[in-house]
Amino acid sequence: MHRGTRMAPVVLVAVLLVLWELIARLSLLPRPEFPTMTGTAVELVRLLGTSQPWLASAQTLQAWALGMVIAIVLAVPVGIAVGTNRMLYRSVRLVIEFLRPVPSVALIPLAILIAGAGLTSKVGLAVFGAFWPLLLQCYYGMQDLDPVAEDTARSFGLGRFARFRHVALPSAVPYIATGARIASAIVLTVVVSAEIVIGAPGLGREVFVAQTSGAYETTYAITFLIGMLAWGLNVGVSAAERRVLHWHPSQRPVEA
Amino acid sequence: MSRRRSRSGLALALELAVPLALLGAWALWSSRSTSFFNPPLTDILDTFAETWIFERIPTDLAPSLARLLIGYALAACAGVALGLMLGSSPLAQRACAPLVEFSRAIPAPALIPIAITLIGIGNDMKVTLIAFVCFFPVLLNTIDGVSGIDPTLRATVQAYGLTRRERILRVVLPAASPQIFAGLRVSLSIGLLVMVVSEMVASTSGVGYFVLQAQQSFRIEDMWAGILMLGLLGYVLNGLFLLVEARVLAWHRGARASATADTT
Amino acid sequence: MTILEVEHLRKTYGEGPRATHAVGDLSFSVSSGEFVCIVGPSGCGKSTLLKCMSGLLPASSGEVRLAGRRITGPPPAMALVFQEYGRSLFPWMSVRDNVLLPLRHKGLSKDEQRRLVTDSIDEVGLTRFGDHYPWQLSGGMQQRVAIARALAYQPEVLLMDEPFASVDAQTRSDLEDLILNVRDRYGVTVVFVTHDIDESVYLADRIVVLTPAPTEVKETLTVDLPSPRDQVATKELPEFAHLRAHTYRLIMRPSDHEDPVGATAGAVAHGSPK
Ligand SMILES: Nc1ncnc2c1ncn2[C@@H]1O[C@H](COP(=O)(O)OP(=O)(O)OP(=O)(O)O)[C@@H](O)[C@H]1O
Ligand SMILES: [Mg+2]
């Protein structure tokens, strides 16, 4: 690869960081709450030396993991059932279509009433948000079964269950994996939203508390941490998806 | 044949009966419940009618919608325009990749505190933030769509010497439109989410503000009415989006259907 | 009069150890109004050659000249029908709009544009399908849309890359006659790539036979068959059979350079390179 293209992102980030520092130092923004880049970096290093951001990250991650597991355990079987049984699909179609676009954060007040300001609320809201897209992906996966594959299996005398196990399920796996990737982003977003609004412990609460108490360097530093956490999760989930799908055509390298 | 017809009749009946049965069950359950957060469904619906027809439309619904739609429209225009530019420039694309990846990954509501420090808690903040978070899905999908245009199609455009304007308006934009719409759809739900959360934590108007206020002052029917309103908002906006998409992408569905028909 | 000249054209894809030498060293020329067929085994670089000739790909060395001018980009006097015709049509446009698109910037009046579009769609026999979308048509019909688009563009040189490779036999003969007819009426120069030997002999004034990659010109044959050609009568001529056999041997037995039997009847070998 060309050296210039490899350096381009580094150069761009460096330029933006210097620009940030200049804008803050010269007070080019009308608001005084804009910290310097160097101040934020120092604060970030200081924070990482304390236990506070690590604990908060662990709390956020815990809610994320619980949300993912519960959403998958609930949505995948339902999605497969709905995808294989036409009658079942028809009877729940309207319910799904109405509930899916409902923003899960709208239920935050209800969650506070029922489950208080803790882990349960965060996870419950996240599961509601991630359930629908996951369910629909499973449904699409079961629908997209190649009729030729199905007929081939039938012509070899495979029974209903064997066909499901060896044909339908493997061909739905790419969809389920995509669903999991979508769900991961939703779960994290809803968890952080709940932490901000409800004040449930986690990175969302930390960043909001920092802002309301006027610790602007800390606000920026924690936002950066949240970004890194989200980015890391993204990379991890995509890597897991690739591992699961190594056999799938979409994963083969394209010849340039 | 008649068996099939009776089955499809049954399916239609189920399709309508199940939601109605669920509503009925909720109504019955809530009318017997003594729990204070589970008021009778009829009370909720009464409150919904009182609140939203039309008393709070100008004070809460209109501001919410305006924030969302203005921010969304800004993001759509900027995302498509920048996506068209980046999509045809691999160097710029590579340069921006880490920044864009980072900005896309960060959960949108986590940016609310920074937005407050930069812009305050007014309308500007919400519109800007909604525009910012809606921008990235549109941008990334537009880039994807533009750089994924079939090489033969690109060569055709060159061979017939189309002008720049023709190329962008008549070829690149339509060719990328399926991906652009996919991005716009993701953006719509993120925009709605940020609208609600930002109204909950930093606002004195809007449906999100109304719902959280109602809960904190234990006006439970009001809270439910607000939740219903948000659900309805999500449903209607999504429905409108799908209508537009179906119109604009009619060719795409046809082309895809005939492509799959060919391979089977 | 020579209109197209290909001189020591070379094209290499990629660099270093993974490089593919698609076109070795090609030189030939095409006269104005001539119908030249280019035949060669699959993968020998025919599509690459056409892309270089149409200015879509830069040559690695050597050059292509159109009317004496070196080609650096797609010239307006040239139209190209792609091998992947289905993918060269715009699926969001109707057949009419697909044909119309390249005409929009040619400075023609609206009436003139409309006339050209209608005429060329009629010409390929798709009169009733103007408002259909490409994906609603069969493969052969899609290919006819691509041809109509090239015809409406009114090029001086028409480059066609295996245009009939995936249509049924009947449509294929119809399209072959259509192209010959167009050439006779408008005097277009046609460079036609194919790997079908019958087709090349039937259509061409001259056949350029290529070697496997890295490609060079193996032999150039003049086809002295009477014009206008006829699907039955022409193919019954003994000259047709001889030319066909000769070309066949050239392609199938790459080591056998001299083939005195085939070269005698009807074919005039213009000398193999080197
Ligand atoms: N974009 C490309 N990058 C790298 N190699 C290429 C590219 N296009 C073609 N090639 C290689 O160049 C050689 C010639 O390809 P080309 O498509 O020109 O052959 P062709 O004669 O048209 O074949 P066919 O008769 O199958 O259409 C092949 O070995 C092919 O692998
Ligand atoms: Mg080819």
Side-chain angles (χ1 to χ4, degrees):
Chain A
M1 195 179 302
H2 208 262
R3 213 183 121 79
T5 50
R6 214 173 21 199
M7 292 306 292
V10 182
V11 172
L12 185 65
V13 170
V15 167
L16 287 178
L17 286 179
V18 170
L19 214 60
W20 173 6
E21 184 72 16
L22 283 179
I23 290 175
R25 290 239 176 254
L26 304 176
S27 309
L28 292 180
L29 287 186
R31 304 187 71 88
E33 295 96 331
F34 191 53
T36 59
M37 183 269 289
T38 40
T40 306
V42 170
E43 173 64 10
L44 181 65
V45 172
R46 187 196 67 79
L47 268 180
L48 289 178
T50 67
S51 64
Q52 176 206 9
W54 301 103
L55 181 64
S57 301
Q59 285 159 334
T60 301
L61 265 180
Q62 180 196 23
W64 173 83
L66 275 173
M68 281 301 279
V69 170
I70 297 176
I72 290 176
V73 165
L74 289 180
V76 171
V78 177
I80 288 176
V82 168
T84 41
N85 187 327
R86 191 91 206 129
M87 279 295 164
L88 192 59
Y89 170 68
R90 289 291 293 267
S91 32
V92 295
R93 195 179 71 98
L94 283 181
V95 180
I96 297 176
E97 259 177 33
F98 190 80
L99 287 181
R100 184 176 57 108
V102 172
S104 51
V105 289
L107 301 177
I108 286 179
L110 187 63
I112 303 176
L113 283 183
I114 298 178
L119 183 64
T120 322
S121 281
K122 284 203 272 186
V123 173
L125 290 165
V127 168
F128 180 86
F131 179 80
W132 308 106
L134 251 175
L135 178 133
L136 280 179
Q137 281 298 318
C138 295
Y139 168 76
Y140 294 142
M142 300 313 280
Q143 289 298 297
D144 195 44
L145 180 57
D146 186 348
V148 177
E150 173 80 359
D151 288 347
T152 312
R154 277 168 68 147
S155 72
F156 286 122
L158 266 64
R160 241 181 118 78
F161 181 75
R163 288 207 306 276
F164 172 76
R165 164 81 186 71
H166 295 290
V167 182
L169 205 55
S171 60
V173 163
Y175 288 83
I176 299 175
T178 308
R181 185 160 42 83
I182 299 172
S184 161
I186 295 178
V187 167
L188 189 66
T189 306
V190 176
V191 164
V192 172
S193 303
E195 288 167 358
I196 290 177
V197 179
I198 308 179
L203 284 171
R205 185 177 73 173
E206 296 297 322
V207 71
F208 199 61
V209 167
Q211 184 260 315
T212 40
S213 59
Y216 300 119
E217 269 107 6
T218 320
T219 311
Y220 277 66
I222 298 178
T223 307
F224 177 76
L225 282 181
I226 297 179
M228 288 314 282
L229 181 77
W231 180 74
L233 279 179
N234 229 350
V235 171
V237 172
S238 297
E241 186 186 4
R242 269 200 302 280
R243 255 191 100 97
V244 175
L245 293 185
H246 62 94
W247 55 273
H248 195 258
S250 71
Q251 299 298 322
R252 274 171 221 148
V254 192
E255 286 294 324
Chain B
M1 185 67 214
S2 76
R3 191 156 159 243
R4 263 183 73 175
R5 189 170 308 155
S6 75
R7 266 180 77 88
S8 77
L10 178 64
L12 188 66
L14 273 176
E15 191 160 355
L16 298 172
V18 170
L20 287 177
L22 285 176
L23 273 180
W26 180 7
L28 199 65
W29 174 50
S30 60
S31 69
R32 295 215 188 133
S33 166
T34 50
S35 160
F36 80 102
F37 61 77
N38 188 10
L41 181 58
T42 44
D43 290 6
I44 296 176
L45 293 179
D46 283 347
T47 314
F48 183 84
E50 275 166 34
T51 318
W52 297 113
I53 311 173
F54 292 94
E55 193 185 321
R56 283 192 170 265
I57 286 187
T59 55
D60 288 307
L61 186 59
S64 288
L65 265 179
R67 285 162 196 154
L68 178 60
L69 295 182
I70 295 174
Y72 185 67
L74 287 175
C77 297
V80 170
L82 213 66
L84 287 177
M85 287 195 298
L86 289 187
S88 41
S89 159
L91 177 65
Q93 214 174 310
R94 279 191 58 81
C96 298
L99 275 178
V100 172
E101 284 298 319
F102 184 83
S103 312
R104 178 184 63 155
I106 195 166
L111 295 171
I112 292 176
I114 284 192
I116 296 177
T117 68
L118 283 180
I119 317 178
I121 59 164
N123 256 333
D124 292 354
M125 183 274 282
K126 279 149 226 150
V127 172
T128 313
L129 189 62
I130 290 171
F132 185 80
V133 298
C134 290
F135 169 73
F136 289 99
V138 182
L139 176 76
L140 280 165
N141 277 276
T142 308
I143 292 177
D144 253 18
V146 172
S147 46
I149 294 179
D150 191 302
T152 308
L153 227 47
R154 275 183 191 285
T156 308
V157 168
Q158 276 182 26
Y160 286 105
L162 298 195
T163 60
R164 201 183 139 76
R165 206 184 129 81
E166 281 171 341
R167 199 175 65 220
I168 291 177
L169 288 184
R170 296 190 191 273
V171 179
V172 178
L173 214 47
S177 57
Q179 274 94 337
I180 294 177
F181 269 91
L184 285 172
R185 189 167 37 205
V186 174
S187 287
L188 186 60
S189 55
I190 298 185
L192 188 61
L193 184 137
V194 170
M195 179 201 94
V196 175
V197 176
S198 67
E199 285 177 352
M200 282 178 171
V201 296
S203 190
T204 50
S205 67
V207 189
Y209 164 79
F210 173 80
V211 177
L212 199 67
Q213 278 300 305
Q215 181 258 318
Q216 281 166 359
S217 47
F218 295 101
R219 288 180 283 118
I220 302 305
E221 279 97 1
D222 275 359
M223 178 197 84
W224 271 107
I227 292 177
L228 280 190
M229 189 65 221
L230 286 175
L232 206 63
L233 204 59
Y235 182 73
V236 169
L237 288 175
N238 191 53
L240 287 176
F241 182 90
L242 292 181
L243 274 181
V244 174
E245 186 186 46
R247 273 199 81 102
V248 177
L249 296 186
W251 66 268
H252 180 63
R253 274 206 310 207
R256 242 192 16 194
S258 79
T260 44
D262 280 353
T263 56
T264 51
Chain C
M1 194 195 86
T2 303
I3 185 162
L4 255 179
E5 291 158 286
V6 177
E7 217 173 80
H8 298 296
L9 182 75
R10 282 170 195 273
K11 177 68 193 178
T12 309
Y13 288 109
E15 293 171 2
R18 292 188 53 200
T20 314
H21 298 281
V23 175
D25 183 354
L26 268 183
S27 301
F28 65 90
S29 57
V30 181
S31 311
S32 188
E34 198 179 14
F35 200 125
V36 171
C37 279
I38 297 179
V39 289
S42 181
C44 77
K46 303 182 296 288
S47 299
T48 306
L49 168 64
L50 274 204
K51 282 191 181 137
C52 291
M53 290 174 74
S54 61
L56 286 175
L57 272 182
S60 300
S61 71
E63 62 182 32
V64 180
R65 285 191 299 270
L66 174 66
R69 282 237 194 85
R70 182 185 179 143
I71 287 181
T72 50
M78 220 183 233
L80 176 59
V81 176
F82 290 84
Q83 184 172 5
E84 304 90 350
Y85 55 87
R87 284 161 44 201
S88 84
L89 298 176
F90 304 100
W92 53 88
M93 291 182 189
S94 66
V95 167
R96 291 191 136 271
D97 288 342
N98 262 287
V99 177
L100 176 64
L101 181 63
L103 303 183
R104 287 180 189 274
H105 60 267
K106 285 191 92 177
L108 304 168
S109 71
K110 283 267 175 258
D111 280 347
E112 181 75 351
Q113 289 182 6
R114 207 167 311 139
R115 192 185 59 75
L116 278 171
V117 170
T118 311
D119 284 359
S120 58
I121 292 179
D122 288 349
E123 188 95 64
V124 297
L126 290 177
T127 314
R128 289 186 301 111
F129 296 93
D131 295 323
H132 283 58
Y133 285 89
W135 36 270
Q136 295 171 318
L137 307 178
S138 72
M141 290 159 90
Q142 290 179 11
Q143 181 60 304
R144 283 188 268 167
V145 178
I147 293 173
R149 181 168 64 187
L151 296 181
Y153 195 59
Q154 296 184 300
E156 286 168 42
V157 179
L158 180 56
L159 306 178
M160 306 181 89
D161 191 359
E162 302 195 27
F164 310 146
S166 47
V167 299
D168 62 278
Q170 180 58 46
T171 314
R172 187 177 186 134
S173 349
D174 290 350
L175 290 175
E176 286 168 3
D177 291 335
L178 167 80
I179 290 295
L180 284 175
N181 194 303
V182 165
R183 196 275 304 256
D184 291 344
R185 269 194 294 156
Y186 303 104
V188 206
T189 309
V190 184
V191 178
F192 189 105
V193 165
T194 176
H195 57 229
D196 182 318
I197 293 162
D198 276 40
E199 186 171 76
S200 66
V201 177
Y202 178 70
L203 290 173
D205 299 326
R206 217 147 44 92
I207 302 176
V208 177
V209 183
L210 303 180
T211 62
T215 317
E216 297 176 3
V217 175
K218 177 149 200 181
E219 196 168 314
T220 307
L221 310 166
T222 301
V223 180
D224 266 337
L225 295 171
S227 205
R229 311 252 162 113
D230 180 273
Q231 289 287 354
V232 179
T234 304
K235 290 182 177 173
E236 273 176 351
L237 295 172
E239 292 95 321
F240 185 91
H242 283 300
L243 272 167
R244 188 173 167 277
H246 179 66
T247 317
Y248 192 85
R249 286 195 194 97
L250 281 176
I251 291 178
M252 290 305 142
R253 284 187 297 170
S255 55
D256 254 17
H257 264 254
E258 306 312 321
D259 181 11
V261 184
T264 47
V268 180
H270 280 235
S272 14
K274 284 169 220 157

